[in-house]
């Protein structure tokens, strides 16, 4: 495949990307096929008792903050998470309810923050990809001019060709990473919903 074909393919890919299409004008830099939902709705993941002041007080409890950190980490298996939830909520009914609210409040805050961080990162990469596509387009035009010049400089042609090949590979690699990372916000949604169900089941 020639550099010209590679460059044209990359630009076409950039134009066809979700970010370039900007299906939702509110989020012009959102690069994922999945619709952007800026924050998880509490009602969508929690049907337990009202959290009340637990929304702010969970940070004051060292045991809760440590458990929130463990459960919110995607590397923690869900069966291990369930065991930890059961152990933490073992106790009297009143203690169980209070602890359940603190725990879920912490998970809701923490996972929402993780999700926002991932989404902001995706939009930053999307902007950089758009800039990279523009640069590749400009350099493709410059290369074509060099190739068609009456006094062609083969050294310059080769140098720019190699640079375009390298930039094309970087662009394509980043697109692959973006497609993978686009799944992360949904995975966080699902994890928070599952953890919420675990906690609520212990209250039933």
């Amino acid at each position: 495949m020639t550099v010209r074909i590679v460059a044209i393919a990359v630009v076409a890919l950039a134009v066809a990307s979700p970010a370039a299409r900007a299906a939702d004008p509110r989020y012009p830099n959102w690069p994922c096929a999945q619709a952007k939902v800026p924050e998880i709705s509490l009602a969508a993941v929690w049907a337990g008792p009202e959290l009340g002041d637990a929304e702010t007080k969970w940070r004051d409890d060292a045991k809760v903050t440590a458990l929130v950190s463990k459960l919110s980490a995607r590397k923690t298996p869900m069966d291990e998470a369930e065991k930890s939830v059961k152990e933490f909520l073992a106790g009297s009914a009143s203690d169980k309810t209070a602890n359940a609210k603190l725990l879920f409040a912490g998970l809701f805050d923490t996972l929402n923050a993780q999700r926002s961080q991932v989404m902001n990162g995706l939009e930053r990469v999307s902007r950089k990809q758009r800039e990279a596509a523009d640069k590749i387009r400009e350099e493709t035009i410059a290369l074509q001019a060099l190739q068609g010049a009456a006094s062609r400089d083969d050294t310059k042609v080769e140098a720019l060709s190699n640079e375009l090949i390298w930039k094309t590979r970087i662009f394509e690699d980043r697109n692959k990473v973006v497609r993978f990372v686009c799944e992360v916000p949904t995975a966080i949604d699902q994890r928070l919903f599952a953890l919420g169900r675990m906690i609520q089941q212990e209250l039933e």
Side-chain angles (χ1 to χ4, degrees), residues 8 31-32 37-38 43 46 77 80 86 97 104 107 110 141 171 187 192:
I8 291 172
C32 304
V37 180
W46 180 248
E80 183 180 335
K86 289 179 181 293
T97 299
F104 188 76
L107 288 168
T110 301
I141 294 170
F171 184 95
L192 181 57

Side-chain angles (χ1 to χ4, degrees), residues 9 27 33 46 49 59 64-65 71 74 78 106 134 136 140 152 168 204:
Y27 313 116
W46 180 248
R59 293 184 178 86
V64 171
T65 55
L71 299 183
R74 293 190 299 280
M78 293 305 288
D134 289 342
I136 289 171
T140 300
R152 172 171 167 153
T168 297
E204 293 173 357

Side-chain angles (χ1 to χ4, degrees), residues 2 43 61 64 124 129:
T2 66
D61 190 313
V64 171
R124 282 196 301 272
Q129 285 292 80

Side-chain angles (χ1 to χ4, degrees), residues 11-23 28 30-32 126 129-130 171 175:
V11 172
L13 180 60
V15 171
S17 70
R21 289 197 303 268
W30 181 242
C32 304
S126 175
Q129 285 292 80
R130 189 175 293 174
F171 184 95
N175 264 2

Side-chain angles (χ1 to χ4, degrees), residues 61-78:
D61 190 313
K63 285 185 67 176
V64 171
T65 55
L67 186 54
V68 164
S69 179
K70 176 183 178 180
L71 299 183
S72 61
R74 293 190 299 280
K75 65 181 181 182
T76 302
M78 293 305 288

Side-chain angles (χ1 to χ4, degrees), residues 101-113:
K101 291 195 293 184
L102 289 171
L103 179 57
F104 188 76
L107 288 168
F108 184 75
D109 276 0
T110 301
L111 287 171
N112 243 329

